[in-house]
Amino acid sequence: GINAEYGEHQKVDFIGIHEKICSLLIPLRTPIPLVSSEEERRHRQEQLLHRQKQMIDMTRTEGSKFLFEGAHEAAVPAALQALRFSIAVYGLSSVELVPAYLVLGEASIGLGRLTQAEEYLSQARWTVLKTPGCDASIKSKMYRICGLLQAAKGNFPEALKNYSNDIYHAAVDNGPRHVKTSGGYFHMANVFFRKGQTDIAHNIYTEVVSIWNKLLKEVVKLEEPVPESALNSFAEKVENETEVLDEAQEAEAIQMLHAVYDLQQNNTSYGAQNMVILLHTLALLHCHLLGYQKAQEFTSEAIKCAQEAELQMDMSQVQQLNSYLTNKVC
């Protein structure tokens, strides 16, 4: 069964998510009064369904966030909870169960339980195949986790084939230069890097950074300065002009951008201009996350890098962000 491998998790099923789900669980556990009208009962059923769907979204996001943070063990209870609520709402054979299977599959890969991962991914694949018109975002995620499994086995050609399918389906929904497509590029680059094809890997990493740089410049929006206060020139997390990053996407950005930075910080062939863009992107990310001191370390490093390499590139956005952060940190 689903829980065979993870029996030990049952007693700690809510670790990491307990706080977030308590308030949502209260209405689900309140008994229906015996004396109530048909309309009241229908309203309550609608409310319960809405709460259960909220629970599914929240536990899926929490499970994904743990995975991006490398906390594979902690992702399991959240994913099992998402699976239970998905079964309660949609039944045992719905494609809505697939995201939970994929989180469980990825957690199993991270824990080195590749046979268990195969089982979850087989269940996901079977469900996707028998669902006509299955959403492209689900197919994209499924191929990504299948790619991770093949990469973990050292089967690089098969991993690359899966990542290509991931990118294709993500691009169908979002376009080729979108953060939801960037994960496929990132994992593909990792495979090329492991194969020793570093030039190809570095080019793809540069594309990943470029995608996140574009989005984060929209999320952390620099506006025209207001004379009486320089601080008012900066508006964080503009929600109406771009999509808002959820916790899982924020964790994904941290994982990917820091992984690229760790690989490239001592790699002269990556190029100073690429490094400046990467440092600017990391600064924007940490500013968005309100980590101003960390963000300023990256803007300072970007400015120093540009000066040392005598780059002829526009540094005004980096310098403006650095000035804002200097005021924030002081």
Side-chain angles (χ1 to χ4, degrees), residues 184-248:
Y185 293 130
F186 174 73
H187 290 297
M188 183 177 272
N190 289 343
V191 169
F192 281 117
F193 191 84
R194 285 175 66 185
K195 287 176 71 179
Q197 294 173 271
T198 52
D199 286 351
I200 297 172
H202 295 329
N203 287 337
I204 301 173
Y205 287 134
T206 301
E207 179 66 15
V208 170
V209 173
S210 173
I211 290 168
W212 278 100
N213 183 269
K214 181 175 181 289
L215 176 79
L216 287 164
K217 279 195 287 197
E218 292 169 3
V219 172
V220 182
K221 197 78 170 176
L222 287 172
E223 297 176 342
E224 287 301 311
V226 178
E228 58 269 22
S229 170
L231 293 187
N232 290 339
S233 69
F234 204 93
E236 294 159 52
K237 301 193 182 187
V238 176
E239 296 190 0
N240 297 328
E241 297 186 19
T242 187
E243 65 179 280
V244 181
L245 295 175
D246 64 26
E247 286 185 350

Coordinates of all heavy atoms in Angstrom, one line a residue, residues 184-248:
G184 N 13.1 22.4 -15.7 CA 13.5 21.4 -16.6 C 14.9 21.7 -17.2 O 15.7 20.8 -17.3
Y185 N 15.1 23.0 -17.5 CA 16.4 23.5 -18.0 C 17.5 23.2 -17.0 O 18.6 22.7 -17.3 CB 16.4 25.0 -18.3 CG 15.5 25.4 -19.5 CD1 14.6 26.4 -19.4 CD2 15.6 24.8 -20.8 CE1 13.9 26.9 -20.5 CE2 14.9 25.2 -21.8 CZ 14.0 26.2 -21.7 OH 13.2 26.6 -22.7
F186 N 17.2 23.5 -15.7 CA 18.1 23.4 -14.6 C 18.6 22.0 -14.5 O 19.8 21.7 -14.4 CB 17.5 23.9 -13.3 CG 18.4 23.7 -12.1 CD1 19.5 24.5 -11.9 CD2 18.0 22.7 -11.2 CE1 20.3 24.3 -10.8 CE2 18.8 22.5 -10.0 CZ 19.9 23.3 -9.8
H187 N 17.6 21.0 -14.4 CA 18.0 19.6 -14.2 C 18.7 19.1 -15.5 O 19.6 18.2 -15.3 CB 16.7 18.8 -13.9 CG 16.2 19.1 -12.5 ND1 16.9 18.8 -11.4 CD2 15.0 19.7 -12.1 CE1 16.2 19.2 -10.3 NE2 15.0 19.7 -10.8
M188 N 18.3 19.5 -16.7 CA 19.0 19.1 -17.9 C 20.5 19.6 -17.8 O 21.4 18.8 -18.1 CB 18.3 19.8 -19.1 CG 18.9 19.4 -20.4 SD 18.0 20.1 -21.8 CE 16.7 18.8 -22.1
A189 N 20.7 20.8 -17.4 CA 22.1 21.3 -17.2 C 22.9 20.5 -16.2 O 24.1 20.2 -16.5 CB 22.0 22.8 -16.8
N190 N 22.2 20.1 -15.1 CA 22.9 19.2 -14.2 C 23.4 17.9 -14.8 O 24.5 17.5 -14.5 CB 22.0 18.9 -13.0 CG 21.7 20.1 -12.1 OD1 22.4 21.1 -12.1 ND2 20.6 20.0 -11.3
V191 N 22.6 17.4 -15.7 CA 23.0 16.1 -16.3 C 24.2 16.4 -17.3 O 25.1 15.6 -17.2 CB 21.8 15.5 -17.1 CG1 22.3 14.4 -18.0 CG2 20.7 15.0 -16.2
F192 N 24.1 17.4 -18.1 CA 25.3 17.7 -18.9 C 26.5 18.0 -18.1 O 27.6 17.6 -18.5 CB 24.9 19.0 -19.8 CG 24.1 18.6 -21.0 CD1 22.8 19.2 -21.1 CD2 24.5 17.7 -22.0 CE1 22.0 18.9 -22.2 CE2 23.7 17.4 -23.1 CZ 22.5 18.0 -23.2
F193 N 26.4 18.6 -17.0 CA 27.5 18.9 -16.1 C 28.1 17.6 -15.6 O 29.3 17.4 -15.6 CB 27.1 19.8 -14.9 CG 28.2 20.3 -14.1 CD1 28.9 21.5 -14.5 CD2 28.7 19.7 -13.0 CE1 30.0 22.0 -13.8 CE2 29.8 20.1 -12.2 CZ 30.4 21.3 -12.7
R194 N 27.2 16.7 -15.2 CA 27.7 15.4 -14.7 C 28.4 14.6 -15.8 O 29.2 13.7 -15.5 CB 26.5 14.6 -14.0 CG 26.1 15.1 -12.7 CD 24.9 14.4 -12.1 NE 25.2 13.0 -11.9 CZ 24.2 12.2 -11.5 NH1 23.0 12.6 -11.4 NH2 24.5 10.9 -11.2
K195 N 27.9 14.8 -17.0 CA 28.5 14.1 -18.2 C 29.8 14.7 -18.6 O 30.5 14.2 -19.5 CB 27.5 14.1 -19.4 CG 26.3 13.2 -19.2 CD 25.4 13.4 -20.4 CE 26.0 12.8 -21.7 NZ 25.1 13.0 -22.8
G196 N 30.2 15.8 -18.0 CA 31.4 16.5 -18.4 C 31.3 17.5 -19.5 O 32.3 18.0 -20.0
Q197 N 30.1 17.7 -20.0 CA 29.8 18.6 -21.1 C 29.5 20.0 -20.5 O 28.4 20.5 -20.5 CB 28.7 18.1 -22.0 CG 29.0 16.8 -22.7 CD 27.8 16.2 -23.5 OE1 27.1 15.5 -22.9 NE2 27.6 16.6 -24.7
T198 N 30.6 20.6 -19.9 CA 30.4 21.8 -19.1 C 29.9 23.0 -19.9 O 29.2 23.8 -19.4 CB 31.6 22.1 -18.3 OG1 32.7 22.1 -19.2 CG2 31.9 21.0 -17.2
D199 N 30.4 23.2 -21.1 CA 30.0 24.3 -21.9 C 28.5 24.4 -22.1 O 27.9 25.4 -22.0 CB 30.8 24.3 -23.3 CG 32.2 24.7 -23.1 OD1 32.6 25.2 -22.0 OD2 33.0 24.6 -24.1
I200 N 28.0 23.2 -22.5 CA 26.5 23.1 -22.7 C 25.8 23.4 -21.4 O 24.8 24.2 -21.3 CB 26.1 21.7 -23.2 CG1 26.7 21.5 -24.6 CG2 24.6 21.6 -23.3 CD1 26.5 20.0 -25.1
A201 N 26.3 22.8 -20.3 CA 25.7 23.0 -19.0 C 25.7 24.5 -18.6 O 24.7 25.1 -18.2 CB 26.4 22.2 -17.9
H202 N 26.8 25.2 -18.8 CA 26.9 26.6 -18.4 C 26.0 27.5 -19.2 O 25.4 28.4 -18.7 CB 28.4 27.1 -18.6 CG 29.3 26.4 -17.6 ND1 29.0 26.0 -16.4 CD2 30.7 26.1 -17.8 CE1 30.0 25.5 -15.8 NE2 31.0 25.5 -16.6
N203 N 25.8 27.2 -20.5 CA 24.9 27.9 -21.3 C 23.5 27.8 -20.9 O 22.7 28.8 -20.8 CB 25.0 27.5 -22.8 CG 26.2 27.9 -23.5 OD1 26.9 28.9 -23.1 ND2 26.7 27.2 -24.5
I204 N 23.1 26.6 -20.4 CA 21.7 26.4 -20.0 C 21.5 27.0 -18.6 O 20.5 27.6 -18.3 CB 21.4 24.8 -19.9 CG1 21.6 24.2 -21.3 CG2 20.0 24.6 -19.4 CD1 21.4 22.7 -21.3
Y205 N 22.5 26.9 -17.7 CA 22.5 27.6 -16.4 C 22.2 29.1 -16.6 O 21.5 29.8 -15.9 CB 23.7 27.4 -15.6 CG 23.9 26.0 -15.0 CD1 25.1 25.4 -15.1 CD2 22.9 25.4 -14.3 CE1 25.3 24.1 -14.5 CE2 23.0 24.1 -13.7 CZ 24.3 23.5 -13.8 OH 24.4 22.2 -13.3
T206 N 22.9 29.7 -17.6 CA 22.8 31.1 -17.9 C 21.4 31.5 -18.3 O 20.8 32.5 -17.9 CB 23.8 31.5 -19.0 OG1 25.1 31.2 -18.6 CG2 23.7 33.0 -19.4
E207 N 20.7 30.6 -19.1 CA 19.3 30.8 -19.4 C 18.4 30.7 -18.2 O 17.5 31.5 -18.1 CB 18.9 29.7 -20.5 CG 17.5 29.7 -20.9 CD 17.2 31.0 -21.8 OE1 18.1 31.7 -22.2 OE2 16.0 31.3 -21.9
V208 N 18.7 29.8 -17.3 CA 17.9 29.7 -16.1 C 18.0 31.0 -15.3 O 16.9 31.5 -14.8 CB 18.4 28.5 -15.2 CG1 17.7 28.5 -13.8 CG2 18.1 27.2 -15.9
V209 N 19.2 31.5 -15.1 CA 19.4 32.7 -14.4 C 18.7 33.9 -15.1 O 18.0 34.7 -14.4 CB 20.9 33.1 -14.2 CG1 21.1 34.4 -13.6 CG2 21.6 32.0 -13.4
S210 N 18.7 34.0 -16.4 CA 18.1 35.0 -17.1 C 16.6 35.0 -16.9 O 15.9 36.1 -16.8 CB 18.4 34.9 -18.6 OG 17.7 35.8 -19.4
I211 N 16.0 33.8 -16.9 CA 14.5 33.7 -16.7 C 14.1 34.2 -15.3 O 13.2 35.0 -15.2 CB 14.1 32.2 -16.9 CG1 14.2 31.8 -18.3 CG2 12.7 32.0 -16.3 CD1 14.1 30.3 -18.6
W212 N 14.9 33.8 -14.3 CA 14.6 34.3 -12.9 C 14.9 35.8 -12.8 O 14.1 36.5 -12.0 CB 15.4 33.5 -11.9 CG 14.7 32.2 -11.6 CD1 15.0 30.9 -12.1 CD2 13.5 31.9 -10.8 NE1 14.1 30.0 -11.7 CE2 13.2 30.6 -10.8 CE3 12.8 32.8 -10.0 CZ2 12.2 30.0 -10.1 CZ3 11.7 32.2 -9.3 CH2 11.4 30.9 -9.3
N213 N 15.9 36.3 -13.4 CA 16.2 37.7 -13.3 C 15.1 38.5 -13.9 O 14.7 39.5 -13.2 CB 17.5 38.0 -14.2 CG 18.0 39.4 -14.1 OD1 17.6 40.3 -14.9 ND2 18.8 39.7 -13.1
K214 N 14.5 38.1 -15.0 CA 13.4 38.9 -15.6 C 12.2 38.9 -14.6 O 11.6 39.9 -14.4 CB 13.0 38.2 -16.9 CG 11.9 38.9 -17.7 CD 11.6 38.3 -19.0 CE 10.5 39.0 -19.8 NZ 9.2 38.7 -19.2
L215 N 11.8 37.7 -14.1 CA 10.7 37.7 -13.2 C 10.9 38.5 -11.9 O 10.1 39.3 -11.5 CB 10.4 36.2 -12.8 CG 9.2 36.2 -11.8 CD1 7.8 36.3 -12.5 CD2 9.2 34.9 -11.0
L216 N 12.1 38.3 -11.3 CA 12.3 39.0 -10.0 C 12.4 40.5 -10.1 O 12.1 41.2 -9.2 CB 13.6 38.4 -9.4 CG 13.4 37.0 -8.8 CD1 14.8 36.3 -8.5 CD2 12.6 37.0 -7.5
K217 N 12.8 41.0 -11.3 CA 12.8 42.4 -11.6 C 11.4 42.9 -11.6 O 11.1 44.1 -11.3 CB 13.6 42.8 -12.8 CG 15.1 42.8 -12.6 CD 15.8 43.5 -13.8 CE 15.9 42.6 -15.0 NZ 16.9 43.1 -16.0
E218 N 10.4 42.1 -12.0 CA 9.0 42.5 -12.0 C 8.4 42.4 -10.6 O 7.6 43.2 -10.2 CB 8.2 41.6 -12.9 CG 8.6 41.9 -14.4 CD 8.0 40.8 -15.3 OE1 7.3 39.9 -14.9 OE2 8.3 40.9 -16.6
V219 N 8.8 41.3 -9.8 CA 8.3 41.1 -8.5 C 8.8 42.2 -7.5 O 8.1 42.7 -6.7 CB 8.7 39.7 -8.0 CG1 8.4 39.5 -6.5 CG2 8.0 38.6 -8.8
V220 N 10.1 42.5 -7.6 CA 10.8 43.5 -6.8 C 10.9 44.7 -7.7 O 11.9 44.9 -8.4 CB 12.1 43.1 -6.3 CG1 12.7 44.1 -5.4 CG2 12.0 41.8 -5.5
K221 N 9.9 45.5 -7.8 CA 9.8 46.6 -8.8 C 10.5 47.9 -8.4 O 10.2 48.4 -7.3 CB 8.4 46.9 -9.1 CG 8.1 47.6 -10.4 CD 8.2 46.6 -11.6 CE 7.8 47.3 -12.9 NZ 8.0 46.4 -14.1
L222 N 11.4 48.3 -9.2 CA 12.1 49.6 -8.9 C 11.2 50.7 -9.7 O 11.0 50.6 -10.9 CB 13.5 49.7 -9.5 CG 14.5 48.9 -8.7 CD1 15.8 48.8 -9.4 CD2 14.7 49.5 -7.3
E223 N 10.8 51.7 -8.9 CA 10.0 52.8 -9.5 C 10.8 54.1 -9.6 O 11.9 54.2 -9.1 CB 8.7 52.9 -8.7 CG 7.8 51.7 -8.7 CD 6.6 51.8 -7.8 OE1 6.6 52.7 -7.0 OE2 5.7 51.0 -8.0
E224 N 10.1 55.1 -10.1 CA 10.8 56.4 -10.2 C 11.0 57.0 -8.8 O 10.1 56.9 -7.9 CB 9.9 57.4 -11.0 CG 9.9 57.2 -12.5 CD 11.3 57.2 -13.1 OE1 12.0 58.2 -12.8 OE2 11.7 56.3 -13.8
P225 N 12.1 57.5 -8.5 CA 12.4 58.0 -7.1 C 11.4 59.2 -6.7 O 11.0 60.0 -7.6 CB 13.8 58.6 -7.2 CG 14.4 58.0 -8.4 CD 13.3 57.7 -9.3
V226 N 11.0 59.2 -5.5 CA 10.2 60.2 -4.9 C 11.1 61.2 -4.2 O 11.9 60.7 -3.3 CB 9.1 59.7 -3.9 CG1 8.3 60.8 -3.3 CG2 8.2 58.7 -4.7
P227 N 11.2 62.5 -4.6 CA 12.2 63.4 -4.0 C 12.3 63.4 -2.5 O 13.4 63.4 -2.0 CB 11.8 64.8 -4.6 CG 11.0 64.4 -5.8 CD 10.3 63.1 -5.5
E228 N 11.2 63.5 -1.8 CA 11.3 63.7 -0.4 C 11.8 62.4 0.4 O 12.2 62.5 1.5 CB 9.9 64.1 0.2 CG 8.7 63.2 0.0 CD 8.0 63.5 -1.3 OE1 8.6 64.2 -2.2 OE2 6.8 63.2 -1.4
S229 N 11.7 61.3 -0.3 CA 12.2 60.1 0.4 C 12.7 59.1 -0.6 O 11.9 58.5 -1.4 CB 11.1 59.5 1.3 OG 11.5 58.2 1.8
A230 N 14.0 58.8 -0.5 CA 14.6 57.8 -1.5 C 14.0 56.4 -1.2 O 13.9 55.6 -2.2 CB 16.1 57.8 -1.3
L231 N 13.6 56.2 0.0 CA 13.1 54.8 0.3 C 11.8 54.6 -0.4 O 11.5 53.4 -0.7 CB 12.9 54.7 1.9 CG 14.2 54.7 2.7 CD1 13.8 54.4 4.1 CD2 15.2 53.7 2.2
N232 N 11.0 55.6 -0.6 CA 9.7 55.4 -1.3 C 9.9 55.0 -2.8 O 8.9 54.7 -3.4 CB 8.9 56.7 -1.2 CG 8.4 57.0 0.2 OD1 8.3 56.0 1.0 ND2 8.0 58.2 0.5
S233 N 11.1 55.1 -3.3 CA 11.3 54.7 -4.7 C 11.3 53.2 -4.9 O 11.3 52.7 -6.0 CB 12.7 55.2 -5.1 OG 13.7 54.5 -4.5
F234 N 11.2 52.5 -3.8 CA 11.3 51.0 -3.9 C 10.0 50.4 -3.4 O 9.6 50.6 -2.3 CB 12.4 50.5 -3.0 CG 13.0 49.2 -3.5 CD1 14.1 49.2 -4.3 CD2 12.4 48.0 -3.0 CE1 14.6 48.0 -4.7 CE2 13.0 46.8 -3.4 CZ 14.0 46.8 -4.3
A235 N 9.3 49.6 -4.2 CA 8.1 48.9 -3.8 C 8.3 47.4 -4.0 O 8.6 46.9 -5.0 CB 6.9 49.4 -4.7
E236 N 8.2 46.7 -2.8 CA 8.5 45.3 -2.9 C 7.2 44.5 -3.1 O 6.1 44.9 -2.8 CB 9.0 44.9 -1.5 CG 10.4 45.5 -1.2 CD 10.7 45.5 0.3 OE1 10.5 44.4 0.9 OE2 11.0 46.5 0.8
K237 N 7.5 43.3 -3.8 CA 6.4 42.4 -4.0 C 5.2 43.0 -4.6 O 4.1 43.0 -4.1 CB 6.0 41.7 -2.7 CG 7.2 40.9 -2.1 CD 6.7 40.0 -1.0 CE 7.9 39.3 -0.3 NZ 7.6 38.3 0.6
V238 N 5.3 43.6 -5.8 CA 4.2 44.1 -6.5 C 3.3 43.0 -7.0 O 3.8 42.2 -7.9 CB 4.6 45.0 -7.7 CG1 3.5 45.5 -8.5 CG2 5.5 46.2 -7.2
E239 N 2.1 42.9 -6.5 CA 1.3 41.7 -6.8 C 0.4 41.8 -8.0 O 0.1 40.8 -8.6 CB 0.5 41.3 -5.5 CG 1.3 41.0 -4.3 CD 0.6 40.4 -3.2 OE1 -0.7 40.3 -3.3 OE2 1.2 40.1 -2.1
N240 N 0.1 43.0 -8.4 CA -0.9 43.1 -9.5 C -0.3 43.0 -10.8 O -1.0 42.7 -11.8 CB -1.7 44.4 -9.3 CG -2.5 44.5 -8.0 OD1 -3.0 43.4 -7.6 ND2 -2.6 45.7 -7.5
E241 N 1.0 43.3 -10.9 CA 1.6 43.3 -12.3 C 2.3 42.0 -12.7 O 2.7 41.9 -13.8 CB 2.7 44.5 -12.2 CG 2.1 45.8 -12.0 CD 3.1 47.0 -12.1 OE1 4.1 46.7 -12.7 OE2 2.8 48.0 -11.6
T242 N 2.4 41.1 -11.8 CA 3.0 39.8 -12.1 C 2.5 38.7 -11.2 O 1.8 39.0 -10.2 CB 4.6 39.9 -12.0 OG1 5.2 38.7 -12.5 CG2 5.0 40.1 -10.6
E243 N 2.8 37.5 -11.6 CA 2.3 36.4 -10.7 C 3.1 36.5 -9.4 O 4.2 36.9 -9.3 CB 2.5 35.1 -11.4 CG 3.9 34.7 -11.6 CD 4.0 33.3 -12.2 OE1 3.9 32.3 -11.5 OE2 4.2 33.3 -13.5
V244 N 2.4 36.1 -8.3 CA 3.0 36.1 -7.0 C 3.7 34.7 -6.8 O 3.1 33.7 -7.1 CB 2.0 36.3 -5.9 CG1 2.6 36.3 -4.5 CG2 1.2 37.6 -6.1
L245 N 4.9 34.7 -6.3 CA 5.6 33.5 -6.0 C 5.0 32.8 -4.8 O 4.9 33.5 -3.7 CB 7.1 33.7 -5.8 CG 7.9 34.3 -7.0 CD1 9.3 34.6 -6.6 CD2 7.8 33.3 -8.2
D246 N 4.7 31.5 -4.8 CA 4.3 30.8 -3.6 C 5.5 30.3 -2.9 O 6.7 30.5 -3.4 CB 3.3 29.7 -3.9 CG 3.8 28.6 -4.7 OD1 5.0 28.4 -4.7 OD2 3.0 27.9 -5.4
E247 N 5.3 29.7 -1.7 CA 6.5 29.3 -0.9 C 7.4 28.3 -1.7 O 8.6 28.3 -1.5 CB 6.0 28.7 0.4 CG 5.5 29.8 1.4 CD 5.2 29.2 2.8 OE1 5.1 27.9 2.9 OE2 5.0 30.0 3.7
A248 N 6.7 27.4 -2.4 CA 7.4 26.4 -3.1 C 8.3 27.0 -4.2 O 9.5 26.6 -4.4 CB 6.5 25.3 -3.7

